[in-house]
Amino acid sequence: MHDPASKPPLAPSIQVSPDNPCPFLRGLVGEGFVDGGTVPLNTLSQTIANASGETGLKKTSARIQTRGVAMIANGFSHILKSWWSGAQLDALRNGPLDKHGAGSRILGIDGKVNEEEIARLASFGRSYNDPNTGMSETGLNAAEIKTFMQDNLKRAGSTARWYYPLLMKFEWPILLKIMGKGGKDKPEDRYLSVDDVRTLFNERSFPDRINQRIVSQPLLSTCALRFRWALGLAAGALAVVLAVLVAVAEFPNQVRAMLPQEGILAQLLPPPLPTLPQTNAAYWLEQNWSLKDRHWFHHASQGTATFPVPYEWFMALEQPRLRLVSQPGMLKDSAYLERFGFIPSPKSINTDTATLRQFGYANVYETTQVGDWSTRWTPAENVDGLPVGFARMTGVVDPATGRREEDKIGLTCAACHTGHIQYQGIDVRFDGGPAMTDLKKLELVTGLSIAYTVYVPFRFDRFADRVLGREASKADRKALKQKLTATMDFLLDWQTRYNDTIKHKKTWDDRRQKDTEEGFGRLDALNRIGNQVFAQDLALSGVKGFEKNLHAQDAPVSYPAIWTVPWFKFAQYDASIEQPLIRNAGEALGVTALLNLSDAYPEQRLWSSSVDIRTLGWIEDMLRGPDPFKAPDPAKGPKFGGLLSPKWPSQILGDAWRIDQTKVENGRKIYAEMCSGCHLPTIDTPAFWSSRHWEPSGDSKVLNAVTIPLKEIKTDPEQSLVLGKRVVDVPAFLKVNTSDLQKWWQCDIPTASTSPTEMVYALGLMTVVDLVAQKWMTDQNVPDAERAKLWNMARKNCLNPAPDPRYRARPLNGIWATAPYLHNGSVPSLYWLLKPQNERPQKFCMGRRDYDPVTVGFAVTNDERCKTGETQFLMTGSDGRLIQGNSVLGHSFERKEGEPKRDGVIGRIFKDDNERYDLIEYLKTL
């Protein structure tokens, strides 16, 4: 073979093996450009790319395509040999590229040319003017070549394989591309000359213009080629890195969605968040609270440090987004936190009406306001404009050492119990309703923000400037980074320990424990509280080995509505805790109040905490209001005060929200028949206030609402089983003696545990919270009279004496504002709640979606696709098994006339949708 840069093509051409059926490769061999036997892939790919006339990236692409085809040309078993030595051109027949007579049949298996087949090829073409000579000649353009190839396949009949059309794309179309003429201005006019084809087959030679292309471009040496490849790979790698950086910076949600969600790479990117919809107007509904009380409730600290960094650090953290040019936004930005479902809040209510109206406040207070409660209490400020539910804890004292610490930032009751709905650009807000937040995503984002601050270049410097000031010394900056890194290391280590512990634990029904996605509007509060108090608080106190108390978060529930709840004997869905202070202080501990459980400090520091018992009492007072049975005018009868349920906002939202009074009257009768037995008569009727479910409690009464055994109601069992099935272990030095409950509260049923350190979660939690509350009152020197008021001694800290797990049926005032329904938030609307259980949707999306006033809740469609950032409720996993905590069954209306009562079915089937909508219309008015 000659060097094509210095030798002309050979004449006559070199003989070519009949086992090389490819006309173009036969031409390369015949002209002496390549050997007729084994040809290195570098040589073959460069030569064909040179012949193509392409340049730049297109030429590189031609080389790559040629290498790919050549590697498999001798068979798949020959790939390694081809890669190492080259393609064997005299052994192509009967290989993967041979079409066995399904092609043109111009070249026979003996290597002889069939002129009749060339004539057949010409019959598919037409006359073209040669752009070089102007003379007419027969040729085929791309469309005509396509027709020719299709006819070849048709002629082959059943012998043609499914992949032959793909092979053909690398034959005649490539010949047209390399040897074609014309088509400079109009690609469809480019044609392949039949005379050139005849010459190629018969004489194994190319037109001079093709030879010149090859001759004019010398082949690169192996060394030069490797250097070029190295440069190309380096440039490609750099391009890939830049592309990844751009993708992560500009499209993090899409990048994260493409990655395995359990993998480390996905965990390094922030979880996707819904786009914040445009809000044209906002309205807080009137609920018997003044403007000042509302704002106080939204930002009063209950003594929690939910976020793992001091307040000033949180305010200095940036969002975990990578930016190539600009800086990312701040984590504290209200618009960013609103994407987690939080509600914006003004810095102060002592501002102008325009600002108040922007936040939804001013419009509903154009009438006479009710009196203030909160002006008597410690003020709650929001100077940094954080959303509803964020509070700054000041005067912080380390419960272990007694030393003063930096201010902390935590979530308040309002973070989980303030709701809102959206409808066509209008945001309707109300206190005491279920929040539509996703706290898991907020946890992940906070941890990532800390990690990005530690590792992403320049980010820590900006953080330090905000926390310490630009003039801070290197020593102070180093110390700050060490503290921040220590926080990050603890979070990572704790998550690792959590994962390692959970994967080895079983559920009550012997399944492997696994977190159930809580998503927007749900939280597994009971298991989270247990994990915090009996595992993480011990770890933070330096007590090791109690990760064994951890439990998967697999019993998520919809945040319960809390209007009128202080008058219920049992507030929780599972009717588990009667004592209000235990209920509220336990919640504060679960939202990460500081707590000392260490024996490394003086004994009098044990059980010290940051829980603000007094503020919890104030919140309870404000929710409860005056005693309804001690009304100033007994003739008017009792009624609730404090926080009232929100009224259906038809006066705000237009025609689609107007109440149909005829339907209401029909629905009233249906409610009396089908609902009042469990949910009691409505709260505005004498029948409600005279119900036997009101029980004496001190000098007043409490409502012992109907509770239904789990076996009968058959809704998801998980939450009702948490406190009774879960077992926790505590260090012996804490001396947690559950039998003390019976002594302190004169409980009617025993509270002793069989082990001094191992106990049922319910008893352990009740005892621990009791000890924490007692310690706070002792440390604060609370007078006896105030203690009695805070404790509300008539409400005992005792187990519910009911013999089996059950759920509480609360009065339905404000039910319209509590979607999705059932305790676990598994039914998207009232309409679906009233349908037979097996017809309910088993999956739907939650996030920033519009409310549906017709079905009352969220309108869902079959197989709806969640928008970016929304979370999907799923009843079953990919394995077809029920996801723990996510059953949509139970509380079903499906019993037909004459059928016996059965578990999970609480009422007759509705006659039709009209009857369902009559009841729904009535429920809107409650």
Side-chain angles (χ1 to χ4, degrees):
M1 189 187 78
H2 70 279
D3 180 353
S6 58
K7 295 182 180 179
L10 299 178
S13 64
I14 299 171
Q15 292 296 314
V16 182
S17 169
D19 288 327
N20 178 354
C22 176
F24 190 80
L25 293 179
R26 291 174 67 83
L28 290 179
V29 175
E31 293 279 17
F33 291 117
V34 298
D35 287 332
T38 300
V39 182
L41 296 186
N42 283 339
T43 300
L44 188 62
S45 62
Q46 284 190 80
T47 303
I48 294 177
N50 290 345
S52 71
E54 299 287 9
T55 59
L57 291 177
K58 288 185 177 181
K59 184 175 181 179
T60 301
S61 175
R63 286 204 307 268
I64 294 173
Q65 290 182 51
T66 301
R67 289 179 69 93
V69 173
M71 281 186 68
I72 65 170
N74 293 117
F76 293 100
S77 61
H78 199 274
I79 287 179
L80 287 178
K81 186 176 180 181
S82 296
W83 175 78
W84 184 256
S85 302
Q88 192 173 342
L89 300 190
D90 55 1
L92 296 179
R93 192 172 295 281
N94 296 319
L97 306 185
D98 190 349
K99 294 185 293 303
H100 303 283
S104 68
R105 300 183 185 176
I106 294 176
L107 191 72
I109 60 173
D110 56 0
K112 294 182 179 180
V113 177
N114 188 331
E115 285 292 339
E116 290 183 358
E117 292 295 338
I118 294 180
R120 176 176 169 271
L121 168 69
S123 71
F124 285 88
R126 57 187 174 90
S127 294
Y128 289 86
N129 288 326
D130 187 327
N132 299 316
T133 66
M135 298 178 64
S136 178
E137 63 177 338
T138 302
L140 291 81
N141 66 11
E144 292 157 348
I145 286 176
K146 183 177 181 181
T147 302
F148 170 65
M149 293 191 300
Q150 289 174 342
D151 194 71
N152 290 342
L153 290 173
K154 183 178 179 181
R155 180 173 64 174
S158 61
T159 62
R161 303 289 181 86
W162 63 268
Y163 56 88
Y164 283 2
L166 180 63
L167 295 181
M168 288 180 170
K169 291 182 179 180
F170 292 93
E171 295 181 348
W172 293 100
I174 296 298
L175 279 180
L176 172 65
K177 187 174 183 180
I178 295 176
M179 296 175 53
K181 300 178 181 179
K184 184 176 181 181
D185 298 322
K186 296 176 67 178
E188 63 270 19
D189 288 343
R190 186 174 181 82
Y191 70 95
L192 178 64
S193 168
V194 174
D195 287 342
D196 286 346
V197 170
R198 180 177 286 107
T199 301
L200 178 62
F201 273 95
N202 283 310
E203 301 178 17
R204 301 173 298 286
S205 61
F206 298 122
D208 289 343
R209 63 182 184 280
I210 306 301
N211 291 330
Q212 187 57 39
R213 285 179 196 165
I214 300 174
V215 170
S216 64
Q217 301 178 76
L219 300 180
L220 296 174
S221 66
T222 301
C223 181
L225 198 60
R226 287 175 179 172
F227 180 71
R228 175 177 286 188
W229 272 103
L231 285 179
L233 288 173
L238 180 61
V240 168
V241 170
L242 289 175
V244 169
L245 287 175
V246 170
V248 169
E250 300 301 326
F251 311 102
N253 294 339
Q254 291 83 346
V255 172
R256 197 180 200 274
M258 291 188 295
L259 298 172
Q261 295 306 294
E262 300 299 325
I264 185 65
L265 292 179
Q267 303 307 311
L268 294 176
L269 295 175
L273 300 173
T275 301
L276 199 62
Q278 180 177 349
T279 299
N280 300 322
Y283 301 90
W284 283 96
L285 300 181
E286 292 188 74
Q287 293 177 262
N288 199 42
W289 272 2
S290 72
L291 173 58
K292 291 180 180 178
D293 288 350
R294 206 157 219 166
H295 198 256
W296 183 88
F297 174 72
H298 293 168
H299 300 289
S301 173
Q302 55 182 341
T304 57
T306 313
F307 298 91
V309 293
Y311 183 90
E312 294 296 345
W313 292 19
F314 182 86
M315 303 305 290
L317 288 171
E318 296 174 358
Q319 298 167 18
R321 287 284 303 271
L322 295 177
R323 294 290 188 189
L324 297 181
V325 181
S326 62
Q327 294 181 15
M330 303 302 295
L331 187 61
K332 68 180 178 68
D333 290 346
S334 181
Y336 183 64
L337 295 174
E338 288 169 45
R339 296 177 67 188
F340 296 90
F342 291 98
I343 303 170
S345 182
K347 295 180 178 181
S348 170
I349 45 87
N350 297 313
T351 185
D352 59 277
T353 302
T355 300
L356 290 177
R357 189 178 296 279
Q358 175 189 345
F359 287 94
Y361 280 107
N363 55 286
V364 296
Y365 294 107
E366 292 166 355
T367 57
T368 303
Q369 287 199 42
V370 298
D372 299 324
W373 289 68
S374 59
T375 51
R376 298 168 284 173
W377 306 329
T378 304
E381 299 179 342
N382 186 34
V383 295
D384 291 299
L386 294 171
V388 169
F390 285 74
R392 182 173 189 165
M393 179 168 59
T394 59
V396 182
V397 174
D398 184 331
T401 64
R403 291 194 299 264
R404 285 295 298 268
E405 290 201 346
E406 296 175 87
D407 291 356
K408 307 293 184 184
I409 179 170
L411 296 179
T412 73
C413 298
C416 300
H417 301 291
T418 306
H420 67 131
I421 60 171
Q422 295 153 308
Y423 181 74
Q424 297 182 358
I426 297 176
D427 205 55
V428 176
R429 301 163 183 173
F430 38 86
D431 283 303
M436 197 51 64
T437 54
D438 189 333
L439 295 187
K440 185 65 175 182
K441 285 189 176 184
L442 183 59
E443 289 176 357
L444 295 173
V445 162
T446 303
L448 282 173
S449 179
I450 294 170
Y452 279 34
T453 303
V454 171
Y455 287 118
V456 175
F458 313 115
R459 193 165 293 202
F460 176 79
D461 291 336
R462 298 195 297 267
F463 172 78
D465 287 345
R466 298 182 188 111
V467 173
L468 302 174
R470 292 182 178 276
E471 305 304 320
S473 66
K474 290 184 177 180
D476 287 343
R477 289 172 180 268
K478 182 178 179 181
L480 177 64
K481 190 164 189 177
Q482 287 176 340
K483 291 179 182 178
L484 188 65
T485 303
T487 300
M488 179 193 68
D489 290 342
F490 175 82
L491 295 175
L492 290 173
D493 177 66
W494 185 254
Q495 188 61 49
T496 300
R497 281 190 275 175
Y498 176 86
N499 294 339
D500 290 345
T501 301
I502 296 306
K503 71 183 181 182
H504 294 110
K505 301 190 79 171
K506 294 291 188 69
T507 63
W508 61 270
D509 55 352
D510 204 38
R511 295 173 62 182
R512 188 176 74 83
Q513 286 191 19
K514 183 180 180 181
D515 283 352
T516 296
E517 183 177 19
E518 296 161 318
F520 282 95
R522 300 201 307 166
L523 194 77
D524 183 2
L526 285 182
N527 276 320
R528 280 173 171 265
I529 291 171
N531 290 347
Q532 183 65 46
V533 174
F534 294 104
Q536 191 170 74
D537 281 340
L538 286 165
L540 289 168
S541 296
V543 183
K544 297 181 179 180
F546 287 87
E547 295 83 3
K548 60 186 177 182
N549 286 333
L550 288 167
H551 193 287
Q553 296 164 13
D554 59 4
V557 297
S558 177
Y559 299 107
I562 59 173
W563 45 73
T564 61
V565 156
W567 292 102
F568 298 170
K569 185 172 184 177
F570 297 105
Q572 283 99 338
Y573 291 118
D574 62 348
S576 55
I577 296 177
E578 176 186 355
Q579 224 297 318
L581 182 54
I582 297 298
R583 171 197 352 120
N584 296 333
E587 172 270 330
L589 288 173
V591 189
T592 324
L594 306 179
L595 175 63
N596 176 41
L597 297 176
S598 172
D599 61 349
Y601 298 93
E603 189 175 358
Q604 65 267 25
R605 302 302 308 174
L606 203 61
W607 302 114
S608 293
S609 75
S610 63
V611 177
D612 193 332
I613 299 294
R614 187 170 282 120
T615 296
L616 291 176
W618 291 336
I619 293 172
E620 187 79 7
D621 286 346
M622 209 166 77
L623 289 168
R624 182 173 53 235
D627 190 333
F629 295 99
K630 299 176 181 177
D633 185 0
K636 293 184 178 180
K639 66 177 182 178
F640 287 122
L643 181 67
L644 302 181
S645 57
K647 296 299 182 183
W648 180 257
S650 55
Q651 77 281 9
I652 295 173
L653 295 173
D655 292 342
W657 291 70
R658 297 195 189 282
I659 298 292
D660 185 326
Q661 290 301 326
T662 301
K663 286 179 172 289
V664 168
E665 293 308 313
N666 293 337
R668 190 190 308 275
K669 298 171 187 175
I670 300 170
Y671 180 91
E673 174 200 350
M674 302 179 68
C675 307
S676 62
C678 294
H679 294 286
L680 305 183
T682 57
I683 65 170
D684 59 351
T685 62
F688 172 78
W689 294 102
S690 61
S691 168
R692 61 183 175 81
H693 288 278
W694 284 103
E695 297 179 352
S697 178
D699 61 351
S700 187
K701 299 178 181 180
V702 293
L703 183 70
N704 189 2
V706 175
T707 58
I708 307 173
L710 174 63
K711 183 180 180 300
E712 292 182 23
I713 194 70
K714 282 287 185 178
T715 50
D716 189 273
E718 297 306 321
Q719 207 240 9
S720 70
L721 301 175
V722 170
L723 289 172
K725 294 285 188 181
R726 185 173 174 180
V727 175
V728 295
D729 197 7
V730 296
F733 70 81
L734 288 179
K735 300 175 183 177
V736 177
N737 187 354
T738 60
S739 63
D740 286 341
L741 292 174
Q742 195 166 12
K743 178 177 65 177
W744 296 333
W745 296 95
Q746 292 77 53
C747 298
D748 295 329
I749 59 175
T751 61
S753 299
T754 56
S755 164
T757 59
E758 191 174 85
M759 58 204 66
V760 172
Y761 175 32
L763 289 171
L765 182 64
M766 292 162 67
T767 307
V768 165
V769 178
D770 210 315
L771 290 167
V772 169
Q774 291 180 44
K775 177 62 175 172
W776 185 91
M777 293 183 191
T778 299
D779 289 348
Q780 298 295 320
N781 297 313
V782 177
D784 289 344
E786 186 182 359
R787 284 189 185 223
K789 184 176 184 299
L790 286 170
W791 275 118
N792 191 355
M793 299 300 292
R795 308 282 294 276
K796 294 184 177 183
N797 185 19
C798 300
L799 290 171
N800 186 337
D804 44 23
R806 54 189 55 228
Y807 287 117
R808 178 216 64 193
R810 65 162 292 154
L812 297 183
N813 52 314
I815 185 67
W816 69 267
T818 62
Y821 295 99
L822 293 184
H823 72 277
N824 63 339
S826 61
V827 182
S829 68
L830 285 179
Y831 173 79
W832 287 111
L833 186 64
L834 302 181
K835 294 281 281 186
Q837 56 190 341
N838 290 322
E839 296 181 24
R840 294 171 183 163
Q842 296 189 10
K843 59 181 179 180
F844 56 89
C845 305
M846 291 299 296
R848 307 292 297 212
R849 62 183 302 167
D850 259 19
Y851 186 94
D852 178 25
V854 177
T855 61
V856 181
F858 304 103
V860 300
T861 57
N862 291 332
D863 298 320
E864 66 179 11
R865 296 176 61 88
C866 296
K867 298 177 183 176
T868 298
E870 290 183 337
T871 54
Q872 187 176 48
F873 173 90
L874 290 169
M875 178 175 167
T876 56
S878 57
D879 59 358
R881 299 186 67 186
L882 174 68
I883 295 175
Q884 212 85 358
N886 277 10
S887 172
V888 306
L889 304 178
H891 193 282
S892 184
F893 297 93
E894 60 180 78
R895 190 168 62 249
K896 296 177 181 177
E897 187 175 354
E899 284 187 343
K901 182 178 179 181
R902 65 182 190 274
D903 293 337
V905 178
I906 62 167
R908 67 168 175 83
I909 192 168
F910 283 80
K911 297 172 185 175
D912 51 29
D913 274 355
N914 289 332
E915 193 177 32
R916 289 189 185 90
Y917 282 119
D918 284 346
L919 177 56
I920 289 172
E921 198 74 4
Y922 178 66
L923 294 176
K924 294 176 184 178
T925 68
L926 302 185

